[in-house]
Amino acid sequence: MSRPPILMPAEAYALWASSYPAHAHNPVMQAEERAMLALMPSGLQGQAVLDAGCGSGRYMLHALRRGAARVIGVDISPQMLERAGSELATFQSGAEVDLIQGSLTALPVPDGWANLTICGLVIGHLENLEQPLAELRRVTRPGGTLLCSDVHPIGHALGWLRDFKSGDRHYAVRHTQHLYSHWHAACQTLGLRIEQVVEPMLDPTGIPDSAHFDRTALEVPVALVFQLRRLA
């Protein structure tokens, strides 16, 4: 089977948005989300939450369900933001909710705005790790929390792709491998403390019997999830 064309993120998500639900819709995302939600505070009452690379709004919805008072979602794709707007419109909440087009390397959010900053499965779309981490730190309040996840570097080494279908064609999104050592060095440089690291694995019971995938995925972690603290 030939490898699908690799698209830049903006182009890929323009094609993917119409079929991209606001929930974890494959076993890798489900494993990643279990880890992220376990690290997310159960109560966010009165807090400001930023979802950087919000996509269809799945973590915005989780933050609202946990009582966040103000939520901003930023994404590079206008198509994904439109999808997020449709999903969020069905959720009744008294919170302030904004969706803004922007890049992870230049977030359109004031310094120190967020008590909690979330960045789920996005940083791997960028070749440089330190630049987006610096932006995520900037928009987080001193003492605030950052939750970041990425596809595990093992997957990249095994040749896994961030792939999807649009119509009858198969595509993949560009992804760069960021090792744990890269995260450690970048966080040390930027004044971010790594408080927890989780390497979730697939839940075999959540994989459909008809699924075709690399069985090695059952033996290795599929995501790398960080809880970080802005020190000052």
Side-chain angles (χ1 to χ4, degrees), residues 12-127:
Y13 286 107
L15 294 173
W16 201 352
S18 63
S19 62
Y20 201 106
H23 61 265
H25 54 269
N26 62 53
V28 172
M29 291 181 71
Q30 289 162 4
E32 176 265 352
E33 187 172 278
R34 284 193 299 272
M36 289 281 276
L37 293 182
L39 296 174
M40 185 186 296
S42 58
L44 293 170
Q45 286 77 12
Q47 297 197 23
V49 178
L50 170 67
D51 186 353
C54 65
S56 56
R58 66 184 175 118
Y59 281 122
M60 296 180 71
L61 288 166
H62 283 298
L64 290 169
R65 293 184 187 111
R66 297 187 182 203
R70 297 174 299 282
V71 178
I72 291 178
V74 176
D75 202 277
I76 197 171
S77 168
Q79 295 84 0
M80 289 297 278
L81 289 171
E82 183 177 354
R83 184 64 187 262
S86 298
E87 298 285 351
L88 289 161
T90 66
F91 187 85
Q92 299 300 314
S93 169
E96 299 174 17
V97 179
D98 287 301
L99 292 166
I100 308 171
Q101 186 177 1
S103 167
L104 201 61
T105 58
L107 289 166
V109 178
D111 293 357
W113 182 85
N115 301 99
L116 170 66
T117 298
I118 302 167
C119 186
L121 298 177
V122 180
I123 280 185
H125 290 322
L126 287 82
E127 293 184 0

Side-chain angles (χ1 to χ4, degrees), residues 135-152:
E135 271 295 275
L136 294 172
R137 176 195 177 279
R138 177 186 66 78
V139 299
T140 306
R141 297 178 184 182
T145 300
L146 297 84
L147 297 180
C148 301
S149 67
D150 197 9
V151 175
H152 202 285

